[in-house]
Amino acid sequence: MHDDLIARATSWLAEDPDPETRDELAKLIEAGDVAELAERFSGTLQFGTAGLRGELGAGPMRMNRSVVIRAAAGLAAYLNAKGQRGGLVVVGYDARHKSADFARDTAAVMTGAGFRAAVLPRPLPTPVLAYAIRHLGAVAGVEVTASHNPPRDNGYKVYLGDGSQIVPPADAEIAAEIDAIASLNDVPRPESGWETLDDGVLNAYLARTDAVLAAGSPRTARTVYTAMHGVGKDTLLAAFARAGFPAPVLVAEQAEPDPDFPTVAFPNPEEPGAMDLAFAKARETDPDLIIANDPDADRCAVAVKDDKADGAWRMLRGDEVGALLAAHLVRRGARGTFAESIVSSSLLGRIAEKAGLPYEETLTGFKWIARVEGLRYGYEEALGYCVDPDGVRDKDGITAALLITELASELKEEGRTLPDLLDDLAVEHGLHATDQLSVRVEDLSVIARAMEQLREQPPTELAGLAITRGEDLTRGTDRLPPTDGLRYTLDGARVIVRPSGTEPKLKCYLEVVVPVAAHAGLPAAHATANDLLAAIKRDLSAAAGI
């Protein structure tokens, strides 16, 4: 076993084009570090519907140039098999470690495989790449990003020519082509021949961002903005300037791209502490709202003044922003289908129904939401919003920021705030309160055991509420393809349990609905909802053994 491992590592080393990872691997082989080598050579990073995502480093279980070159070659072979040879493949990248290298390698492989390749001019938001695919008539697009993962990670996201991310069976077909590549020496990688795009695509994207706003709408809301050390700042500032909003006040410490994300434990606005600097800046400057993007700027977080605590700010949940944007679009007369993933709040369905609009539920991920026919608006509770599906068939943190700031401006003119509108929605449709029980693990078997336990000994009630229906989503439903998850419908509540597709986490999504007769009943309804959510969390933890 030991000799076989060293042999595999040595043969990988011989092909590795990157001096850094070659050096790293040579040292591990020289030191005879069997444990570390075994971990890196225990298999290969699996290419799935999220593409690839993993820790940077040498070996097939890490993100590195060798793995990326194979992925690009597999994608090229897949596109060839679909009769798209000679088509355009557009490549975007963020500012993480190695992102520019991975983008260049992808362009070289595509050029060598007979495709035209074009790379965005510099690190830009993921939605700009998603837009570029359709704008340029590409057959596919690749975005090199690990979104809001820790600094040591990178990733590889694949879109097809419709401008949305891959779904089965494309992922398995691409994975099979990747597996079929015997040696990197078989993959032609010319030194040149691809195009580096100018700012034309970015300017076209920015011109489209204007279209999400209503002509002549108020543009008075003042914002504090953090790019979370990512690539959002310049694009967002340009979009806000074009729209005529006051220039956002920047959180300077997080404004510029920095692949080490020095001020946050996790560069995700949802993680504890990530928004602290933005809150501090808001206390100094008293804006109407705080906007945050994640590092690749496809997500948008919003924070508002907390009316219960003087000078304090609170993050709105993704479901709250999702409902606010929906209500705003309905008020503006939007037509078309409103869609969300199954883990998002059922409030969207109530809003759509009352407005007489079609409504769809999909599996988790924008790869599914983007495919809904006639889509006008789609969102997911993890801070993802698609407000201009004709331009970007994916979540877009720039256009979402524009739209929520327009809504805040309209309310400001009326002497009202975003929380006031949330209260109105609760009185109209019932208070839809959501929460998440999220367990990060070192050992993935913990997640498998929890799912097994829930399947073998399903709970009959949570928080004293009877479970009226339990569904194992691996079997699929009449509306949804199969996925690894469990859904419980309770009297006045809903729970979904699933392993995360991109992180080592078990995620449980909770929602309770409390009827509210009038605004005066809101404080009591919030208290009831909070008690129920806490009790559901406790009982679910016990049932899953986590």
Side-chain angles (χ1 to χ4, degrees):
M1 174 65 193
H2 174 258
D3 290 350
D4 172 52
L5 186 60
I6 296 292
R8 274 187 295 144
T10 305
S11 101
W12 182 274
L13 178 67
E15 288 188 356
D16 189 339
D18 187 333
E20 276 183 47
T21 43
R22 255 204 329 269
D23 184 47
E24 185 186 315
L25 187 54
K27 283 181 176 145
L28 290 174
I29 295 169
E30 202 178 320
D33 190 337
V34 175
E36 186 63 28
L37 288 169
E39 194 185 317
R40 290 166 184 243
F41 286 84
S42 59
T44 54
L45 270 189
Q46 284 308 295
F47 186 92
T49 51
L52 292 167
R53 209 179 275 189
E55 194 175 331
L56 289 160
M61 287 296 286
R62 295 283 186 270
M63 280 298 294
N64 51 62
R65 290 182 59 199
S66 299
V67 163
V68 163
I69 289 164
R70 286 171 185 275
L75 174 60
Y78 167 85
L79 293 170
N80 262 330
K82 297 287 179 199
Q84 291 178 318
R85 187 183 176 86
L88 174 68
V89 177
V90 59
V91 185
Y93 59 102
D94 67 12
R96 282 177 179 266
H97 293 295
K98 300 280 183 191
S99 286
D101 295 345
F102 295 167
R104 194 171 51 249
D105 281 331
T106 301
V109 170
M110 291 300 164
T111 304
F115 291 86
R116 290 180 297 125
V119 184
L120 292 182
R122 58 185 170 280
L124 285 166
T126 294
V128 177
L129 180 274
Y131 169 78
I133 295 163
R134 292 169 68 174
H135 177 67
L136 298 172
V139 296
V142 170
E143 175 70 19
V144 179
T145 181
S147 188
H148 56 273
N149 274 38
R152 63 176 184 273
D153 289 3
N154 212 330
Y156 198 81
K157 200 185 251 193
V158 174
Y159 297 76
L160 294 179
D162 62 356
S164 53
Q165 296 172 52
I166 53 169
V167 294
D171 56 337
E173 291 171 22
I174 295 168
E177 296 285 7
I178 294 170
D179 289 344
I181 293 153
S183 163
L184 284 195
N185 301 329
D186 303 338
V187 180
R189 296 200 311 281
E191 291 292 311
S192 61
W194 58 91
E195 180 187 359
T196 299
L197 294 165
D198 60 17
D199 277 352
V201 167
L202 176 62
N203 293 335
Y205 166 82
L206 285 168
R208 249 210 99 86
T209 63
D210 301 353
V212 306
L213 304 174
S217 63
R219 312 275 165 97
T220 53
R222 291 164 45 253
T223 54
V224 158
Y225 172 70
T226 175
M228 206 67 61
H229 299 297
V231 300
K233 181 196 72 168
D234 292 348
T235 306
L236 182 127
L237 290 182
F240 269 57
R242 289 179 66 102
F245 287 112
V249 174
L250 299 179
V251 177
E253 303 92 326
Q254 299 176 334
E256 298 305 327
D258 187 332
D260 294 320
F261 306 104
T263 67
V264 291
F266 287 94
N268 177 355
E270 291 181 295
E271 293 281 350
M275 294 289 287
D276 287 356
L277 289 169
F279 292 158
K281 182 57 77 177
R283 286 193 294 273
E284 262 173 54
T285 57
D286 194 34
D288 297 298
L289 71 164
I290 299 172
I291 300 280
N293 285 137
D294 68 337
D296 68 328
D298 62 352
R299 292 164 200 249
C300 174
V302 180
V304 295
K305 281 177 195 154
D306 188 343
D307 52 8
K308 295 181 188 65
D310 194 33
W313 285 75
R314 76 173 181 95
M315 276 275 288
L316 292 179
R317 292 190 168 278
D319 285 316
E320 292 178 305
V321 177
L324 287 168
L325 291 173
H328 183 43
L329 288 168
V330 164
R331 186 162 142 178
R332 276 192 9 199
R335 309 308 298 162
T337 302
F338 279 29
E340 65 182 340
S341 62
I342 55 170
V343 298
S344 306
S345 169
S346 57
L347 177 55
L348 184 70
R350 306 262 173 105
I351 292 170
E353 185 183 9
K354 179 139 194 196
L357 295 175
Y359 163 76
E360 286 288 335
E361 254 189 347
T362 73
L363 291 184
T364 312
F366 262 81
K367 54 185 176 280
W368 299 107
I369 294 170
R371 285 184 155 67
V372 167
E373 212 164 303
L375 182 68
R376 173 60 187 88
Y377 168 63
Y379 98 91
E380 183 150 82
E381 57 70 48
L383 311 183
Y385 313 94
C386 173
V387 300
D388 176 26
D390 292 341
V392 176
R393 287 199 89 75
D394 197 7
K395 53 188 180 288
D396 182 345
I398 306 294
T399 47
L402 287 170
L403 200 61
I404 198 76
T405 308
E406 178 186 57
L407 172 58
S409 300
E410 283 187 8
L411 292 166
K412 186 178 181 177
E413 300 296 295
E414 300 166 10
R416 286 156 45 79
T417 64
L418 296 172
D420 291 336
L421 180 52
L422 284 172
D423 287 348
D424 292 351
L425 291 171
V427 173
E428 191 175 355
H429 302 287
L431 174 65
H432 288 62
T434 57
D435 201 358
Q436 210 185 97
L437 171 63
S438 184
V439 185
R440 188 180 286 274
V441 299
E442 291 296 321
D443 177 3
L444 287 175
S445 69
V446 173
I447 294 175
R449 274 201 306 277
M451 294 297 287
E452 192 180 331
Q453 184 161 322
L454 287 170
R455 285 188 171 106
E456 287 176 359
Q457 298 167 302
T460 54
E461 62 167 43
L462 296 167
L465 302 174
I467 292 176
T468 54
R469 187 173 180 205
E471 298 165 277
D472 187 340
L473 299 175
T474 45
R475 301 191 181 106
T477 72
D478 53 350
R479 305 300 299 270
L480 298 169
T483 186
D484 187 7
L486 298 162
R487 177 162 63 180
Y488 304 114
T489 305
L490 299 88
D491 195 10
R494 184 214 63 197
V495 173
I496 291 171
V497 185
R498 61 178 278 274
S500 166
T502 53
E503 298 175 275
K505 281 182 174 180
L506 180 68
K507 290 187 156 183
C508 312
Y509 303 84
L510 326 174
E511 178 177 48
V512 299
V513 184
V514 181
V516 191
H519 281 77
L522 280 166
H526 278 288
T528 301
N530 289 340
D531 290 348
L532 277 172
L533 287 168
I536 291 173
K537 263 190 188 179
R538 187 191 59 229
D539 293 355
L540 187 61
S541 294
I546 49 176

